[in-house]
């Protein structure tokens, strides 16, 4: 008899990115708040030896490389859940966070769901996913605000890679279509590809995780600015003149904020030097929500969440 794979509503993926303390913070928080009908998968590059003997509680997946995008791609290919949640590098789960995140997939065109990350210091929002602004190609959404407003929620463009919910099939498609080892690039391009296919990214305003800016990959830097400005020209069709004006405007706005100068310099350098490859695009088709709905034929008695799967 052929082996039948188990079926789960959710696969929670906890990548080991090299920092044991941060990894353990994420994993322990998941195990303490583990939802029903969910598998927990630890992804590593072969160097993690399970010192706490968690084989009965988690499933281990070996990645071909140590980068976050490689680990997510490896997990997407092997998990059993209809939905996938990535939580990594010190981001901590809270009670009920997963169920609140999954509720948003009842919207049949929701492809990516972003939980709200809050600071452990002052409980203000660190990021509710990311958006694009006149100041930056990628900026943390609603950062430093006590709560999320309607305009904030409408402005979301993507989720932070270390705190994100995905439809499994769509996650597999984007990891196969844009192959990269650059987490900044994957965080920008993967939601962009889904958006181009008609999927939406939404904020789960009742799904909370604890994380600071550095854990979410949002800290501005030279390399971040160079990568994102180059990708914006490639995937958003930004012209050289328009990009130059945006970089100049951002420089004026941030002239009194030295912390942002590295990112702005990186953006300017990318315009002068031209784009450099951050990943490889493959000819992989991403189905639209309408195509996905038409391909699923379930009885009328099926729940909205199953119809959205």
């Amino acid at each position: 008899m052929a082996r039948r794979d188990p079926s789960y509503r959710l696969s929670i993926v906890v990548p080991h990115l090299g920092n044991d303390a941060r990894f353990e913070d994420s994993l322990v928080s998941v195990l303490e708040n583990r939802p029903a009908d969910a598998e927990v998968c630890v992804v590593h590059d072969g160097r993690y030896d399970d010192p706490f003997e968690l084989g009965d509680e988690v499933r281990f997946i070996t990645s071909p490389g140590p980068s976050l995008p490689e680990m997510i791609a490896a997990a997407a290919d092997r998990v059993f859940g209809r939905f996938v949640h990535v939580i990594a590098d010190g981001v901590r789960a809270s009670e009920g966070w997963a169920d609140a995140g999954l509720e948003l997939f009842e919207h049949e065109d929701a492809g990516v769901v972003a939980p709200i990350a809050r600071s452990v210091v002052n409980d203000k929002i660190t990021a509710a996913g990311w958006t694009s602004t006149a100041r930056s190609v990628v900026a943390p959404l609603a950062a430093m605000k006590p709560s999320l407003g309607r305009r904030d929620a409408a402005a979301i463009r993507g989720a932070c890679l270390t705190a994100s919910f995905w439809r499994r099939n769509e996650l597999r498609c984007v990891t196969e279509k844009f192959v990269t080892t650059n987490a900044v690039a994957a965080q920008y391009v993967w939601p962009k590809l889904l958006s181009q296919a008609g999927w939406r990214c939404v904020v789960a305003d009742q799904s909370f995780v604890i994380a600071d800016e550095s854990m979410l990959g949002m800290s501005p830097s030279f390399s971040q600015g160079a990568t994102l400005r180059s990708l914006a020209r490639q995937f958003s069709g930004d012209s050289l003149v328009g990009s130059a004006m945006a970089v100049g405007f951002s420089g004026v706005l941030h002239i009194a904020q030295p912390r942002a100068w590295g990112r702005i310099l990186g953006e300017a350098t990318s315009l002068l030097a031209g784009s450099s490859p951050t990943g490889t695009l493959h000819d992989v088709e991403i189905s639209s929500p309408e195509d996905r709905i038409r391909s699923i034929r379930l009885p009328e008695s099926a729940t909205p969440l199953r119809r959205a799967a």
Side-chain angles (χ1 to χ4, degrees):
M1 180 180 294
R3 174 183 176 272
R4 183 173 180 176
D5 290 332
S7 176
Y8 294 94
R9 181 189 183 204
L10 175 67
S11 294
I12 302 173
V13 174
V14 188
H16 185 280
L17 298 174
N19 187 310
D20 287 345
R22 286 192 169 192
F23 164 75
E24 290 164 9
D25 281 347
S26 296
L27 182 59
V28 168
S29 73
V30 167
L31 295 176
E32 288 178 342
N33 297 282
R34 184 175 186 168
D37 196 15
E39 66 168 344
V40 178
C41 299
V42 168
V43 191
H44 62 100
D45 64 358
R47 289 179 289 181
Y48 185 70
D49 59 1
D50 186 21
F52 302 107
E53 299 182 350
L54 296 172
D56 292 336
E57 296 184 73
V58 305
R59 186 159 67 94
F60 291 90
I61 296 173
T62 302
S63 165
S67 72
L68 179 57
E70 289 173 298
M71 291 189 180
I72 293 176
D77 189 52
R78 295 179 58 185
V79 297
F80 299 123
R82 297 195 304 275
F83 305 100
V84 179
H85 174 45
V86 179
I87 181 167
D89 214 21
V91 178
R92 287 184 285 152
S94 66
E95 183 179 359
W97 101 105
D99 289 332
L102 291 183
E103 285 180 5
L104 274 294
F105 287 113
E106 293 184 10
H107 300 284
E108 292 177 333
D109 62 346
V112 189
V113 173
I116 294 179
R118 291 190 175 276
S119 169
V120 69
V121 176
N122 55 24
D123 197 42
K124 289 186 177 180
I125 294 174
T126 311
W130 60 264
T131 188
S132 295
T133 69
R135 298 185 176 199
S136 179
V137 176
V138 167
L141 183 63
M144 298 305 295
K145 292 186 177 181
S147 61
L148 187 77
R150 289 186 179 181
R151 289 186 178 180
D152 294 321
I156 187 170
R157 295 295 178 267
C160 302
L161 210 56
T162 54
S164 53
F165 293 88
W166 306 76
R167 292 180 186 271
R168 180 192 61 201
N169 290 343
E170 280 57 49
L171 178 60
R172 286 176 177 172
C173 285
V174 295
T175 59
E176 291 171 0
K177 187 172 183 66
F178 182 71
V179 177
T180 183
T181 59
N182 187 317
V184 172
Q187 182 165 271
Y188 178 77
V189 175
W190 289 349
K192 178 73 69 174
L193 293 173
L194 288 184
S195 176
Q196 291 173 351
W199 296 97
R200 290 191 305 127
C201 182
V202 294
V203 182
D205 59 4
Q206 297 301 311
S207 176
F208 300 107
V209 296
I210 307 301
D212 65 26
E213 188 180 62
S214 63
M215 297 171 185
L216 299 173
M218 288 291 183
S219 299
S221 67
F222 179 92
S223 61
Q224 181 209 52
T227 297
L228 290 174
R229 182 56 64 184
S230 176
L231 290 170
R233 293 190 61 201
Q234 181 179 356
F235 287 91
S236 299
D238 293 357
S239 67
L240 178 60
V241 173
S243 296
M245 291 178 65
V247 173
F249 182 52
S250 181
V252 172
L253 292 175
H254 289 95
I255 194 168
Q257 300 176 28
R259 186 168 172 269
W261 291 354
R263 173 184 61 78
I264 296 168
L265 182 59
E267 292 189 34
T269 301
S270 76
L271 298 180
L272 295 174
S275 61
S276 57
T278 54
T280 305
L281 272 174
H282 295 275
D283 187 18
V284 175
E285 182 180 356
I286 301 175
S287 298
S288 69
E290 292 77 13
D291 293 336
R292 187 96 169 94
I293 293 167
R294 282 195 295 268
S295 69
I296 300 175
R297 302 189 181 282
L298 293 175
E300 289 299 317
S301 59
T303 64
L305 186 58
R306 285 192 64 202
R307 290 199 299 272

